[in-house]
């Protein structure tokens, strides 16, 4: 089918116009067909923000800045921007300008308000907080920083001069100390040189000793392990015995203490002198009685009828 | 009598005068739509639609090559790769889209217009038109210039579309810049005035190329050789004035 030139040209122009409009909307980060949600923010300092810069919510690109201009009445910076209509920009939301002006990557960051609050109406004003321009901050702080760097360098210079003076004075302590250290080092060196052979021998011996030990450990490893096990058991038993011995000891202690304090029969026997005295007097009496009996048996046998006895 | 001023000064001034006179006539004839309406559609197809494939091809390759070369040059870890997208999109919209299309049109359309009108001039067809009472400027020049002014922005849009598309495609397929980063960068630095500036440029370029070519062809002298000279001059002069206009517009509008 042959189309007339008019139709071909007309169609081409329409297609081009559609591509142009959709292309601009696409690169402006606008929805291709939906309407947009336009808002306004008022800043004291735009920080290099220009039309076309991205608007982000929590780091996600949601729209772009339409235009930036100075208000004729208030002198403040008015920033018109649009965001995706699905973003709930509620009352309490606020905008800040972020990014590096020096690198040309300036953007507007939007912090959303509580979701329970009502939405800011189309064309409404979004609150702003002070712009934190990193480069400007750095520029502002630069003089103070340079000043302190200068001071540090001056101090360092002073220290270096002093160190130089100390090092260059022949009678300074540092020089003497260094000389002494050098002398000591040379003595140590001489000593080491003298005892070199011996040290070599000692080291060789130590080496062979450790090698032997290593071999012994390697060969009789199992025997040593079992021996160690047995020793361990033995020690455990000994330990138990010692505990028991200790308990016995304590009991003996208690017993001796009781004996000492004169508790119980045995204690009384040992400690009470009255029994000795009584026994002594009894024995004395018995002695007298026996002597008397020997002397005068009749007195005691008088009443005893021998005949009766038999 | 020996001329007081050399030809090198006189000739351009006289050419400018004749060019202005021709344009003046042309503007005067713009209202005579009936005389050139049919011719206008034909010229629009020849200037616009017939140039579309070569413009799209050239733009696609410029975008793709720019993407590869830009990502080759941007090796600094400090610069994000998305910047490639910003550079390609901005340069296509601001400069390459219009200038690449302009050069192609200067060679393809400018030369054709100059050759057509030059042949008509040397074979006295233009005189015949005048004799028949037709306004030759209105009939021959106005439709060509109007077609250039109307169709050049269309070609510019096609060039931008293909150039950026080519850049995105080669960036993604060749592993230079992922598509998402390319688009992110393009959006980050996009300014709504850029495509408007591109359209203004393409209107000016379209007018310059077609009007200069018409002027060169319309005033052709000296048979077949003259036609050849007019064709060459049309292409060269179109390119030179296109670059000059490019600079002036950039200084004035950016």
């Amino acid at each position: 089918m042959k189309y007339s030139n008019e139709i071909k040209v007309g169609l081409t122009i329409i297609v081009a116009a559609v591509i142009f409009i959709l292309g601009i909307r696409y690169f402006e980060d606008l929805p291709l067909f939906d309407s947009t949600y336009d808002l306004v923010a008022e800043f004291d300092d735009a920080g290099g923000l220009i039309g076309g810069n991205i608007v982000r919510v929590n780091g996600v690109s949601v729209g772009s800045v339409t235009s930036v201009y100075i208000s004729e009445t208030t002198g403040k910076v008015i920033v018109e921007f649009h965001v995706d209509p699905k973003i709930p920009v509620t009352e309490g939301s606020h905008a800040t300008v972020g990014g590096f002006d020096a690198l040309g990557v300036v953007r507007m960051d939007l912090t959303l308000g509580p979701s329970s609050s009502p939405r800011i109406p189309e064309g409404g004003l979004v609150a702003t907080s002070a712009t934190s321009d990193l480069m400007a901050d750095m520029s502002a702080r630069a003089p103070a920083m340079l000043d302190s760097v200068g001071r540090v360098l001056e101090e360092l210079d002073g220290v270096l001069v002093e160190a130089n003076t100390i090092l260059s004075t022949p009678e300074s302590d540092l020089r003497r100390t260094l000389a002494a250290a050098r002398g000591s080092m040379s003595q140590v060196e001489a000593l080491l040189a003298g005892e070199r052979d011996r040290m070599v021998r000692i080291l060789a011996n130590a080496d062979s000793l450790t090698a032997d030990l290593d071999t012994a450990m390697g060969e009789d490893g199992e025997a040593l392990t079992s021996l160690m096990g047995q020793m361990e058991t033995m020690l455990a038993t000994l330990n138990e015995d010692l505990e028991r011995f200790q308990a016995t000891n304590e009991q003996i202690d208690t017993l001796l203490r009781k004996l000492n304090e004169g508790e119980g029969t045995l204690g009384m026997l040992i400690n009470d002198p009255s029994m000795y005295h009584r026994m002594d007097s009894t024995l004395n009496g018995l002695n007298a009685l026996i002597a008397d009996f020997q002397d005068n048996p009749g007195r005691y046998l008088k009443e005893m009828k021998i005949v009766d006895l038999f | 009598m020996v001329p007081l001023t050399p030809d090198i000064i006189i000739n351009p001034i006289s050419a400018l005068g004749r060019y202005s006179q021709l344009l003046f006539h042309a503007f005067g004839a713009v209202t005579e739509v009936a005389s050139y309406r049919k011719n206008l559609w034909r010229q629009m197809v020849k200037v616009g639609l017939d140039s579309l494939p070569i413009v799209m091809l050239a733009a696609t390759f410029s975008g793709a090559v720019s993407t590869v070369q830009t990502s080759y040059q941007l090796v600094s870890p400090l610069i994000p790769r998305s910047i490639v997208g910003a550079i390609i999109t901005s340069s296509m919209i601001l400069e390459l889209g219009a200038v690449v299309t302009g050069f192609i049109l200067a060679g393809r359309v400018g030369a054709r217009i100059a050759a057509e009108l030059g042949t008509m001039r040397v074979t006295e067809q233009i005189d015949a038109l005048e004799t028949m009472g037709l306004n030759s400027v209105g009939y021959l020049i106005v439709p060509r210039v109007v077609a250039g002014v109307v169709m050049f922005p269309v070609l510019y849009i096609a060039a931008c579309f293909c150039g950026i598309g080519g850049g995105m495609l080669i960036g993604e397929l060749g592993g230079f810049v992922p598509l998402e980063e390319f688009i992110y960068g393009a959006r980050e630095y996009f300014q709504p005035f850029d495509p408007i500036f591109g359209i203004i440029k393409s209107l000016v370029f379209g007018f310059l190329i077609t009007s200069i070519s018409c002027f060169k062809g319309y005033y052709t002298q000296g048979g077949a050789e003259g036609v050849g000279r007019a064709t060459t001059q049309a292409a060269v002069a179109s390119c030179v004035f296109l670059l000059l206009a490019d600079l002036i517009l950039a200084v004035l509008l950016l």
Side-chain angles (χ1 to χ4, degrees):
Chain A
M1 193 174 159
K2 182 114 175 93
Y3 292 105
S4 70
N5 285 343
E6 288 93 326
I7 290 177
K8 281 197 266 188
V9 170
L11 267 179
T12 314
I13 292 175
I14 290 169
V15 169
V18 168
I19 290 176
F20 184 70
I21 292 164
L22 291 187
I24 291 181
R25 286 180 78 87
Y26 181 75
F27 283 121
E28 275 193 296
D29 215 359
L30 292 171
L32 294 187
F33 302 107
D34 292 346
S35 60
T36 55
Y37 180 24
D38 297 318
L39 293 162
V40 180
E42 217 178 65
F43 288 97
D44 290 328
D45 181 359
L49 202 70
I50 50 169
N53 283 145
I54 282 175
V55 176
R56 303 204 309 184
V57 169
N58 301 336
V60 179
S61 166
V62 294
S64 66
V65 175
T66 320
S67 65
V68 180
Y69 58 91
I70 306 266
S71 164
E72 285 176 14
T73 50
T74 59
K76 288 198 167 191
V77 182
I78 308 291
V79 176
E80 289 179 352
F81 63 101
H82 50 72
V83 295
D84 190 332
K86 290 192 278 293
I87 303 296
V89 186
T90 53
E91 299 284 350
S93 303
H94 67 271
T96 47
V97 177
F100 289 108
D101 188 16
L103 295 177
V105 197
V106 185
R107 58 165 191 274
M108 197 164 101
D109 289 312
L110 205 58
T111 310
L112 297 180
S115 53
S116 52
S117 306
R119 275 179 80 117
I120 296 176
E122 173 90 17
L125 192 70
V126 178
T128 56
S129 29
T131 305
S132 62
D133 188 342
L134 194 63
M135 294 307 278
D137 280 357
M138 278 171 72
S139 309
R141 286 183 192 174
M145 221 155 77
L146 282 174
D147 196 34
S148 55
V149 168
R151 272 205 307 278
V152 168
L153 283 175
E154 269 171 28
E155 275 170 32
L156 196 65
D157 199 36
V159 168
L160 282 173
V161 166
E162 221 163 279
N164 212 11
T165 319
I166 290 172
L167 283 172
S168 56
T169 317
E171 59 276 359
S172 72
D173 283 351
L174 198 61
R175 286 283 285 237
R176 279 206 300 278
T177 310
L178 280 173
R182 204 178 299 141
S184 306
M185 285 309 287
S186 61
Q187 277 173 6
V188 169
E189 215 168 302
L191 192 70
L192 281 175
E195 299 293 324
R196 194 185 152 82
D197 287 347
R198 223 165 123 192
M199 282 190 74
V200 167
R201 277 204 307 283
I202 290 170
L203 280 173
N205 284 344
D207 201 28
S208 78
L209 190 69
T210 48
D212 286 352
L213 206 59
D214 203 30
T215 321
M217 291 295 283
E219 281 172 0
D220 298 326
E222 277 181 35
L224 272 170
T225 313
S226 82
L227 193 67
M228 290 300 285
Q230 283 171 2
M231 276 178 79
E232 221 166 281
T233 323
M234 219 159 79
L235 281 172
T237 321
L238 199 61
N239 213 11
E240 279 171 24
D241 288 350
L242 276 172
E243 274 172 15
R244 272 205 291 276
F245 179 69
Q246 205 169 353
T248 315
N249 221 358
E250 274 169 15
Q251 283 171 358
I252 289 172
D253 248 5
T254 317
L255 199 65
L256 283 174
R257 189 173 41 77
K258 281 184 177 170
L259 279 178
N260 270 338
E261 285 167 2
E263 279 180 31
T265 317
L266 210 56
M268 295 281 245
L269 192 66
I270 291 168
N271 290 303
D272 201 353
S274 63
M275 190 172 164
Y276 165 76
H277 291 310
R278 272 202 296 275
M279 274 172 80
D280 195 41
S281 70
T282 309
L283 283 172
N284 280 340
L286 201 62
N287 266 347
L289 188 67
I290 289 169
D292 191 49
F293 185 71
Q294 280 173 339
D295 290 342
N296 305 299
R299 194 190 293 171
Y300 300 94
L301 299 173
K302 182 175 69 181
E303 299 295 318
M304 200 177 286
K305 291 172 181 166
I306 295 170
V307 180
D308 288 349
L309 274 174
F310 299 104
Chain B
M1 186 185 153
V2 180
L4 291 172
T5 43
D7 284 353
I8 199 160
I9 297 175
I10 286 291
N11 285 352
I13 293 172
S14 114
L16 185 66
R18 279 185 293 148
Y19 176 66
S20 312
Q21 206 176 7
L22 184 72
L23 288 185
F24 185 75
H25 280 300
F27 279 121
V30 167
T31 48
E32 298 170 26
V33 184
S35 70
Y36 66 80
R37 193 170 57 85
K38 206 165 176 157
N39 204 6
L40 176 66
W41 296 118
R42 200 163 52 240
Q43 290 303 327
M44 279 186 165
V45 171
K46 283 185 176 174
V47 172
L49 295 188
D50 291 354
S51 305
L52 210 50
I54 183 71
V55 165
M56 287 166 79
L57 185 77
T60 307
F61 276 84
S62 333
V65 171
S66 305
T67 304
V68 174
Q69 289 184 352
T70 311
S71 38
Y72 163 73
Q73 285 174 307
L74 286 182
V75 286
S76 166
L78 280 175
I79 303 171
R81 275 190 301 179
S82 61
I83 214 84
V84 175
I87 290 173
I88 303 308
T89 310
S90 300
S91 52
M92 278 315 290
I93 291 175
L94 280 177
E95 179 71 9
L96 284 177
V99 172
V100 166
T101 312
F103 279 141
I104 289 171
L105 250 66
R108 193 181 178 282
V109 175
R112 187 182 59 78
I113 290 174
E116 265 178 13
L117 294 187
T119 311
M120 286 172 89
R121 168 63 74 190
V122 297
T123 53
E124 295 172 355
Q125 289 179 55
I126 292 176
D127 297 325
L129 283 172
E130 294 285 343
T131 314
M132 285 194 291
L134 271 170
N135 181 353
S136 64
V137 175
Y139 185 75
L140 296 173
I141 295 178
V142 171
R144 285 175 169 79
V145 176
V146 171
V149 173
V150 172
M151 294 314 281
F152 200 112
V154 172
L155 294 172
Y156 160 75
I157 292 166
C160 289
F161 181 74
C162 292
I164 297 169
M168 285 178 179
L169 198 69
I170 198 77
E172 175 75 18
L173 296 182
F176 300 104
V177 192
L179 189 60
E180 290 75 17
E181 280 191 52
F182 190 106
I183 293 170
Y184 180 81
R187 286 178 168 173
E188 178 107 45
Y189 288 89
F190 182 77
Q191 290 180 33
F193 178 68
D194 292 357
I196 307 293
F197 176 67
I199 290 285
I200 294 172
K201 252 165 90 156
S202 59
L203 288 169
V204 173
F205 289 179
F207 174 77
L208 275 179
I209 291 166
T210 46
S211 62
I212 288 171
S213 306
C214 285
F215 166 70
K216 288 287 177 189
Y218 195 77
Y219 290 113
T220 304
Q221 286 173 329
E225 200 186 327
V227 174
R229 195 168 52 241
T231 308
T232 313
Q233 281 179 355
V236 172
S238 297
C239 288
V240 171
F241 283 100
L242 183 145
L243 291 172
L244 200 65
D246 192 20
L247 179 65
I248 293 170
L249 285 175
V251 170
L252 287 181
L253 297 179
L254 290 183

